[in-house]
Amino acid sequence: MISQFFVLSQRGDNIVFRDYRGEVQKGSAEIFFRKVKFWKEDGEEEAPPVFNVDGVNYFHVKVVGLLFVATTRANVSPSLVLELLQRIARVIKDYLGVLNEDSLRKNFVLVYELLDEVIDFGYVQTTSTELLKSYVFNEPLVVDAARLQPMSPAAIFMQGTKRMPGTAVTKSVVANEPGGRKREEIFVDIIEKISVTFSSSGYILTSEIDGTIQMKSYLSGNPEIKLALNEDLSIGRGDYRSSFGSGAVILDDCNFHESVRLDNFDLDRTLTLVPPDGEFPVMNYRMTQEFKPPFRINTLIEEAGALKAEVILKVSAEFPSSVTANTIIVQMPLPKYTTRVNFELEPGALGQTTDFKEANRRLEWALKKTVGGSEHTLRAKLTFSQELHGNITKEAGPVSMTFTIPMYNASRLQVKYLQIAKKSSTYNPYRWVRYVTQANSYVARI
């Protein structure tokens, strides 16, 4: 049970506010934003998703720059509330098409109507877009998708030779398009988050992939869909299919959406479903089988005198040259007595920026794009305020990395085909299957 729900902009403006129980003071949104903005406890840059102030529990998630927040005085499960916030954001996006400050302000009546159906007196009723269509009849005022920022979630797929239509993932599932026609199309996204830990000598200590197959359907009449995965896919280490050889994809475990039927899954690895309205996860999976990491990080740190040292960072992209990674950020904590850092990029380096965050003594190296097969090197000369005591490698590191790689997946799990039940001989909807890999925890020890 939650007491309040509100959505704040990056400036702290209150866009949506709902008080369900009257148990928490009215100024909670201001208290929350001040706490998050000036979070200094434990030397962390960002506030954790859950914290307590004066007996009030605050839960928040950040979605496309907006803060979705819930408050309560009760002792509720944090995972439940955080999942609820993500689902509310998803339902609002399904209805509005575009989720940003402008669309929320233009459609505040519809958003409040949705919130009243999703939560009643602090208790969750439903987060299904399909069920909500029976109770919420207002149509959204559609915001122009062209006004979206270039690195929105919709933009990370706009790469390669076959581009998605501009309004691909920014359409409402309930609004009619101009002219009354509806473009028949379906989107399947295979999104994988990678966690890898490298030893100081470059060996992989731990590796894991958390993946999800997301689907968003704009098909009228909800036809039956068959989605086929790799035939050599194995679930669990004891699966007989794992004897197919080293090329087999072995998942540790997985779960499916309630609409998925698994009648033929053991036989030919096909999933049968009638997709509900809105965006939903068809399948979630986890994999710890060995896979080739997309990036290698090499770090060398040497003393260069009593008050100086040099750090050499090398990042190698070990994926095909036809693939390009976006928004790569490499971070490395430095000794606490570091006072100045001079950076030296390789000759001809484009789209790269460097920074020394003095507040928490951290080196940051950002690369806008990286093509597969390429290598990039950064040299950083450190100046200290006192002489070194002990081993400098114990004072610095580890190196962490974040990135996004469209049209690439490390697990090799693939959608072989997407079959839609035909209504007529001329019925041929558009099918979009897309892949994206992101870093969850990508760390190299020094």
Side-chain angles (χ1 to χ4, degrees):
M1 139 184 109
I2 65 169
S3 298
Q4 296 170 331
F5 169 82
F6 48 90
V7 181
L8 302 181
S9 71
Q10 289 180 319
R11 301 181 305 277
D13 297 339
N14 213 329
I15 305 168
V16 175
F17 185 90
R18 210 46 158 170
D19 193 335
Y20 292 101
R21 301 179 67 85
E23 297 171 342
V24 178
Q25 66 269 35
K26 294 291 183 188
S28 56
E30 180 65 23
I31 294 167
F32 165 81
F33 187 71
R34 283 182 173 276
K35 193 73 176 171
V36 167
K37 190 176 180 182
F38 303 109
W39 190 269
K40 297 289 182 187
E41 291 179 23
D42 302 324
E44 293 180 30
E45 275 190 11
E46 290 191 352
V50 183
F51 57 86
N52 184 289
V53 179
D54 298 329
V56 177
N57 297 314
Y58 291 86
F59 306 83
H60 78 281
V61 295
K62 194 178 280 188
V63 185
V64 290
L66 300 170
L67 288 162
F68 284 69
V69 190
T71 68
T72 180
R73 289 188 180 275
N75 183 18
V76 297
S77 163
S79 349
L80 173 79
V81 181
L82 294 174
E83 177 66 20
L84 171 63
L85 293 174
Q86 292 281 9
R87 290 200 185 191
I88 290 174
R90 189 183 296 164
V91 165
I92 294 173
K93 185 178 183 297
D94 283 344
Y95 266 79
L96 306 189
V98 178
L99 181 57
N100 60 20
E101 187 177 343
D102 193 21
S103 65
L104 286 175
R105 290 191 187 281
K106 281 190 174 180
N107 292 282
F108 71 94
V109 173
L110 173 58
V111 171
Y112 277 102
E113 195 176 348
L114 284 168
L115 289 174
D116 287 344
E117 295 296 342
V118 170
I119 300 169
D120 186 13
F121 196 56
Y123 292 94
V124 185
Q125 303 303 307
T126 181
T127 55
S128 164
T129 306
E130 182 89 357
L131 289 174
L132 287 166
K133 283 178 76 175
S134 307
Y135 306 105
V136 179
F137 301 104
N138 273 329
E139 284 211 356
L141 298 167
V142 180
V143 174
D144 185 7
R147 296 170 62 184
L148 280 173
Q149 293 184 3
M151 274 318 295
S152 68
I156 61 175
F157 295 108
M158 301 285 287
Q159 300 218 350
T161 52
K162 191 175 182 183
R163 288 174 173 255
M164 307 297 151
T167 57
V169 282
T170 58
K171 292 197 304 181
S172 167
V173 296
V174 291
N176 289 318
E177 292 184 34
R181 289 178 302 170
K182 187 175 180 182
R183 183 180 164 111
E184 297 279 328
E185 55 190 343
I186 186 167
F187 298 91
V188 179
D189 299 331
I190 293 87
I191 301 166
E192 295 188 341
K193 295 191 176 180
I194 297 182
S195 299
V196 180
T197 305
F198 296 97
S199 70
S200 55
S201 52
Y203 291 104
I204 297 172
L205 297 174
T206 62
S207 61
E208 184 173 300
I209 296 174
D210 282 307
T212 182
I213 300 178
Q214 291 276 133
M215 185 177 282
K216 192 164 188 177
S217 171
Y218 294 101
L219 303 175
S220 57
N222 290 21
E224 186 179 84
I225 289 171
K226 281 192 176 180
L227 188 144
L229 304 175
N230 311 46
E231 286 187 3
D232 58 356
L233 173 66
S234 304
I235 314 293
R237 298 283 174 178
D239 194 319
Y240 72 94
R241 290 169 183 258
S242 58
S243 61
F244 279 13
S246 58
V249 179
I250 303 172
L251 306 181
D252 287 55
D253 50 64
C254 62
N255 58 58
F256 301 92
H257 189 265
E258 60 200 30
S259 65
V260 176
R261 296 205 313 275
L262 302 171
D263 305 348
N264 298 319
F265 185 67
D266 286 336
L267 187 67
D268 56 8
R269 293 312 192 207
T270 57
L271 306 174
T272 308
L273 69 150
V274 175
D277 287 323
E279 193 172 342
F280 67 98
V282 176
M283 170 183 173
N284 296 307
Y285 58 91
R286 188 174 63 89
M287 173 178 156
T288 55
Q289 177 196 9
E290 283 186 21
F291 60 89
K292 188 176 181 181
F295 286 99
R296 287 271 177 187
I297 310 166
N298 292 311
T299 310
L300 181 65
I301 184 163
E302 294 178 331
E303 293 180 33
L307 296 171
K308 292 192 175 183
E310 186 176 30
V311 175
I312 301 172
L313 284 170
K314 187 165 86 169
V315 172
S316 308
E318 300 195 341
F319 44 87
S321 56
S322 57
V323 175
T324 302
N326 297 327
T327 54
I328 303 107
I329 297 173
V330 182
Q331 293 184 326
M332 176 180 171
L334 300 174
K336 58 182 179 292
Y337 38 79
T338 307
T339 54
R340 194 169 72 248
V341 181
N342 293 322
F343 295 103
E344 188 183 313
L345 289 165
E346 56 201 350
L350 295 172
Q352 297 185 30
T353 58
T354 54
D355 194 13
F356 171 49
K357 307 281 187 186
E358 286 191 52
N360 50 13
R361 300 288 188 271
R362 183 175 292 174
L363 171 158
E364 193 171 284
W365 177 25
L367 300 90
K368 196 173 181 182
K369 285 185 178 180
T370 297
V371 179
S374 62
E375 285 187 354
H376 300 282
T377 307
L378 170 71
R379 289 174 179 269
K381 293 178 179 177
L382 318 181
T383 304
F384 304 130
S385 60
Q386 65 182 58
E387 285 195 33
L388 294 169
H389 298 287
N391 192 345
I392 188 172
T393 56
K394 290 183 179 177
E395 300 272 353
V399 180
S400 60
M401 191 174 183
T402 59
F403 52 81
T404 299
I405 315 176
M407 304 317 292
Y408 172 84
N409 72 329
S411 69
R412 302 192 312 280
L413 181 72
Q414 289 186 319
V415 173
K416 293 297 184 183
Y417 64 82
L418 188 61
Q419 187 178 316
I420 302 168
K422 284 198 170 188
K423 300 177 187 175
S424 65
S425 57
T426 56
Y427 182 69
N428 189 23
Y430 291 92
R431 303 165 176 84
W432 305 100
V433 178
R434 310 171 297 185
Y435 299 85
V436 67
T437 296
Q438 297 172 325
N440 187 27
S441 170
Y442 211 83
V443 176
R445 293 176 184 169
I446 297 177

